[in-house]
Amino acid sequence: MPSQLTARPSDIPLKNLYNLLEPITLPKEKARFTNWGRSFVCTPSSIFEPENEFQCELVLELARREGKTLRVAGVGHSPSDLACTNEFMLRTTKLNRVLEVNTEKRYVVAQGGITLDDLNATLAKNNLAMTNLGSISEQSLAGVVTTATHGSGISYGVISMSVLALSLLLADGSRVTCSRNEHAELFMASICGLGATGIILSVQLEVEPAFRLQETQQSLPFDEVLQDLDKHVRSAEHVRFWWFPTRDIVRCSYSNRTTEAKNPAGSWWWHTFMGHHVLQFLLFLGRYFMFLNRWIANFACWLLSGDTIGVDDSYKIFNVDCRYPQHTTEWAVPYENTQACLRDLHSYLNKEFQDPDGIRPHFPVEIRFSAADDIWLSPSYGQPVAWIGIIQYKPYGFNVPYRKLFKAYEEIVTRYQGRPHWAKPHLLQPDSLRKLYPHFDDFRRVIEDVDPEGIFRNEYVQRHIMGKPVDPRIFKQYP
């Protein structure tokens, strides 16, 4: 019989395969997956935590033999059921090493399971940094890539645009390296591939010399920002807004690269004690006394009202405190439609505020920007966009109403040709997505070519990409 070190997985007898996988298989009582927002929960038939690529091959071989779907999941930061499955799950939390750092050519190669937090720390030690980041660095690198996660900056693309090459484990057990010049279609399908093209073993990522950002924050009236939107958006390299509809105030953040010495803004008292702990307690009260939510939003707006200037390492400025578990949705609206879309959303919320029985949403509405790109399923494919995101916090993990608000929001952004963030919940089916993405059918063709048996097509992919009748609330924590 071939040895463990030299055998192909397909040559290993089934009993031996089970024995080899036993050390990385979670006990049944621990085989439960909950996403970061505590909004989706699943109980896979088995959860594996491989420590090397050979073990990934073994898990895939077992899935092939048993006819199981295999879903790859990282830290579970997606607020949707993107990572959920009732069959096999492969957790990449132990596939978290940096494999190569090239300071001369300015790239890094890292395993797909590494978190951006850990990657940022390694890059900093080598005087390097990622060009752009989102609000949170708790996500895995593969998760960020496969959902075209974004930061903000009208001249900066989604993070997947910095990917130079991927190493994939395909459904047939073969490995392939793809890039814009090698297996180009597979590459374009995989850098926003929703985990459907294969297991991302490693990512070669373009980086740049480490830099600091100077961030200026100020609060301005909503109408003033909207009237001169383009002026504000292009006034700095990285611009983002937090809109507080209850007061019609926009907290504006403008960040530029700088050589100035570090001088972080903010204080523990305001941003941690008051801005996190006190607000969470107030939001908890707002579950029972809905009228309080408007006052709480005004209070949060007041906490942030002063003008500030801070200088810090880039990743510390890019990242913000996203506070608590939450229901959230975010769509990318063509940049040219941003003003009209926000005015429509403004009108809707004002009607609700005037209605004694209307919704009392949480805060803020986050607005960010990305440059156009050519990634097949990227929400910013072919056009610069404004990302408009809304949230309903879950203080101490307790559930809150959100469905009426989200439904109205989605109706508005849909009117303005919005495209949903793939990592966040949405209800679009292939007929709608095909109209939004010119390469939608190319994407389907590629995944059908590399995975004809659908091993990597979990319930999310079957629902949104293949059009199967899968209940969007199948994994909902709360019915």
Side-chain angles (χ1 to χ4, degrees):
M1 182 185 75
S3 72
Q4 173 184 342
L5 296 178
T6 60
R8 294 177 302 174
S10 58
D11 294 333
I12 300 175
L14 185 60
K15 181 179 178 180
N16 293 25
L17 196 57
Y18 276 118
N19 290 338
L20 290 170
L21 289 174
E22 185 177 359
I24 64 167
T25 305
L26 293 188
K28 285 292 183 184
E29 61 271 17
K30 294 184 179 180
R32 181 181 171 90
F33 173 84
T34 304
N35 70 339
W36 175 82
R38 302 182 196 173
S39 50
F40 290 92
V41 175
C42 65
T43 306
S45 57
S46 295
I47 296 181
F48 306 94
E49 291 188 338
E51 299 177 3
N52 55 57
E53 294 180 1
F54 179 69
Q55 290 174 337
C56 291
E57 294 180 21
L58 296 179
V59 174
L60 176 59
E61 177 62 23
L62 183 62
R64 284 160 49 85
R65 292 195 200 179
E66 297 204 348
K68 296 286 189 181
T69 296
L70 175 60
R71 193 54 173 168
V72 180
V75 296
H77 197 273
S78 170
S80 74
D81 64 337
L82 176 64
C84 292
T85 183
N86 280 326
E87 299 192 1
F88 283 1
M89 176 176 285
L90 187 155
R91 298 294 303 272
T92 62
T93 48
K94 295 180 180 178
L95 301 168
N96 58 0
R97 294 185 298 121
V98 174
L99 304 175
E100 180 184 357
V101 177
N102 192 314
T103 55
E104 181 182 353
K105 296 184 178 179
R106 297 179 184 174
Y107 70 79
V108 61
V109 180
Q111 290 182 305
I114 194 170
T115 64
L116 296 191
D117 273 329
D118 289 343
L119 181 58
N120 288 335
T122 298
L123 290 174
K125 290 178 183 177
N126 289 275
N127 198 34
L128 295 170
M130 293 177 64
T131 297
N132 202 358
L133 282 169
S135 297
I136 296 177
S137 285
E138 296 170 7
Q139 308 110 307
S140 69
L141 177 59
V144 165
V145 169
T146 202
T147 55
T149 292
H150 63 97
S152 193
I154 197 64
S155 298
Y156 292 83
V158 297
I159 294 173
S160 293
M161 287 295 289
S162 294
V163 176
L164 299 174
L166 295 175
S167 174
L168 295 173
L169 180 62
L170 301 183
D172 63 1
S174 64
R175 299 191 192 197
V176 62
T177 297
C178 58
S179 66
R180 288 181 177 270
N181 298 317
E182 186 179 7
H183 303 292
E185 285 199 331
L186 178 60
F187 180 75
M188 298 308 292
S190 297
I191 52 176
C192 184
L194 314 179
T197 61
I199 301 173
I200 297 178
L201 298 174
S202 65
V203 180
Q204 182 184 13
L205 193 72
E206 183 178 23
V207 293
E208 61 178 274
F211 59 96
R212 290 189 290 275
L213 288 172
Q214 181 184 73
E215 180 187 37
T216 300
Q217 288 194 18
Q218 61 179 349
S219 297
L220 297 172
F222 174 82
D223 286 335
E224 180 179 326
V225 172
L226 214 59
Q227 183 175 346
D228 294 320
L229 182 67
D230 197 60
K231 174 183 174 183
H232 286 280
V233 170
R234 300 184 188 280
S235 64
E237 292 174 277
H238 303 278
V239 174
R240 54 188 171 182
F241 303 134
W242 296 281
W243 168 32
F244 292 80
T246 57
R247 291 196 60 199
D248 271 348
I249 292 294
V250 178
R251 185 67 175 175
C252 305
S253 165
Y254 311 95
S255 296
N256 288 300
R257 284 157 174 73
T258 184
T259 57
E260 292 187 19
K262 291 184 185 180
N263 184 25
S267 69
W268 178 88
W269 173 259
W270 287 108
H271 288 92
T272 302
F273 179 73
M274 297 294 289
H276 189 104
H277 299 296
V278 171
L279 271 179
Q280 181 165 213
F281 177 70
L282 293 174
L283 288 166
F284 176 74
L285 295 179
R287 295 181 69 243
Y288 305 98
F289 307 101
M290 297 291 289
F291 69 89
L292 287 177
N293 284 328
R294 189 167 184 175
W295 178 85
I296 296 167
N298 291 343
F299 173 66
C301 185
W302 173 77
L303 283 175
L304 297 170
S305 57
D307 292 355
T308 63
I309 299 177
V311 177
D312 212 333
D313 293 324
S314 57
Y315 61 93
K316 295 178 181 178
I317 295 290
F318 285 136
N319 289 170
V320 297
D321 179 9
C322 288
R323 294 187 171 92
Y324 332 110
Q326 57 197 243
H327 297 289
T328 179
T329 185
E330 182 181 36
W331 289 50
V333 172
Y335 181 66
E336 62 188 17
N337 296 343
T338 307
Q339 288 168 299
C341 183
L342 289 174
R343 290 197 188 280
D344 221 350
L345 185 58
H346 179 269
S347 297
Y348 164 73
L349 292 173
N350 276 347
K351 282 184 181 178
E352 292 295 322
F353 295 150
Q354 292 164 15
D355 181 351
D357 299 316
I359 62 168
R360 298 295 182 261
H362 291 166
F363 54 87
V365 176
E366 187 175 37
I367 306 163
R368 292 176 284 174
F369 307 91
S370 288
D373 61 56
D374 61 350
I375 301 170
W376 286 359
L377 288 192
S378 168
S380 46
Y381 174 85
Q383 60 190 13
V385 298
W387 300 84
I388 303 172
I390 61 172
I391 54 177
Q392 286 292 92
Y393 295 117
K394 300 170 66 176
Y396 308 114
F398 288 97
N399 203 30
V400 294
Y402 72 96
R403 294 174 71 179
K404 179 182 176 182
L405 171 65
F406 282 27
K407 183 176 184 294
Y409 161 88
E410 290 182 3
E411 288 174 353
I412 291 170
V413 292
T414 298
R415 285 202 293 270
Y416 294 96
Q417 294 76 54
R419 294 167 173 165
H421 191 312
W422 288 106
K424 299 180 180 180
H426 66 93
L427 298 175
L428 295 192
Q429 296 290 311
D431 287 347
S432 299
L433 293 167
R434 189 171 285 110
K435 297 174 184 176
L436 295 172
Y437 293 98
H439 286 286
F440 183 82
D441 286 324
D442 291 324
F443 177 77
R444 280 189 42 155
R445 172 176 52 80
V446 168
I447 65 173
E448 288 169 348
D449 285 346
V450 296
D451 184 14
E453 302 301 320
I455 290 177
F456 296 123
R457 290 177 217 152
N458 71 331
E459 289 81 350
Y460 178 100
V461 175
Q462 293 286 16
R463 178 197 310 130
H464 295 297
I465 304 301
M466 310 310 295
K468 303 293 184 182
V470 179
D471 184 354
R473 299 182 64 79
I474 183 175
F475 298 117
K476 262 293 177 183
Q477 170 80 313
Y478 301 97

